[in-house]
């Protein structure tokens, strides 16, 4: 079983930055693809970013490309999401996710393990 703990959310003004962290409970983390998803009130969960187990491949949604950066430190069992130039549309609960597959995917149903979520609120 892989347990994930999200942290780093908060309230920030538009144009500001936040860095989210997701700590995993097991060393097997280093072989898992990791992803970040978000969900705004009344909306479906949407893909934000994903990173392969090695960190060599990353993918982003068009809405965050160029502003967000996903990275991982396998020695610390942690994945990060650096969010810059935040916009009010980025508001939502952000979840990290882990999946035991080698090719990253944007499909949230493929990820077996999820963090509890961390709230990000961007004011205008």
């Amino acid at each position: 079983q892989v347990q994930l703990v999200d942290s780093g959310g908060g309230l920030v003004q538009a144009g500001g930055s936040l860095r989210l962290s997701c700590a995993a409970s097991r060393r097997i983390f280093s072989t898992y693809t990791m992803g970040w998803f978000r969900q705004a009130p009344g909306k479906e969960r949407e893909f934000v970013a994903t990173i392969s187990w090695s960190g060599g491949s990353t993918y982003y949604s068009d809405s965050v490309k160029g502003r967000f950066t996903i990275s991982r430190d396998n020695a610390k069992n942690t994945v990060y999401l650096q969010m810059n130039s935040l916009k009010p549309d980025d508001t939502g609960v952000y979840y990290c996710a882990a999946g035991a597959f080698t090719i990253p995917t944007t499909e949230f149903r493929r990820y077996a393990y999820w963090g509890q979520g961390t709230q990000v609120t961007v004011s205008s």
Side-chain angles (χ1 to χ4, degrees):
Q1 188 77 7
V2 175
Q3 293 182 333
L4 305 175
V5 178
D6 306 326
S7 62
L11 173 63
V12 64
Q13 289 188 332
S17 298
L18 284 174
R19 189 176 82 154
L20 306 184
S21 299
C22 173
S25 63
R26 293 182 62 180
R27 292 181 61 84
I28 197 171
F29 166 87
S30 64
T31 64
Y32 277 52
T33 291
M34 300 298 296
W36 285 97
F37 294 78
R38 67 187 181 189
Q39 189 164 17
K43 295 187 177 181
E44 293 186 351
R45 190 167 300 191
E46 66 169 342
F47 166 75
V48 175
T50 183
I51 187 168
S52 62
W53 67 270
S54 67
S57 296
T58 57
Y59 301 93
Y60 300 90
S61 70
D62 288 342
S63 62
V64 308
K65 198 174 297 182
R67 300 187 297 122
F68 291 11
T69 302
I70 188 171
S71 62
R72 67 190 297 162
D73 185 338
N74 287 346
K76 295 182 178 179
N77 294 342
T78 302
V79 63
Y80 305 96
L81 185 69
Q82 178 66 44
M83 305 186 295
N84 299 328
S85 302
L86 283 161
K87 305 175 182 179
D89 284 348
D90 294 320
T91 294
V93 179
Y94 282 68
Y95 300 89
C96 74
F101 41 83
T102 56
I103 300 176
T105 177
T106 63
E107 176 50 61
F108 75 87
R109 295 175 182 84
R110 294 282 313 279
Y111 292 80
Y113 304 103
W114 291 84
Q116 82 286 0
T118 184
Q119 177 71 46
V120 171
T121 303
V122 184
S123 63
S124 56

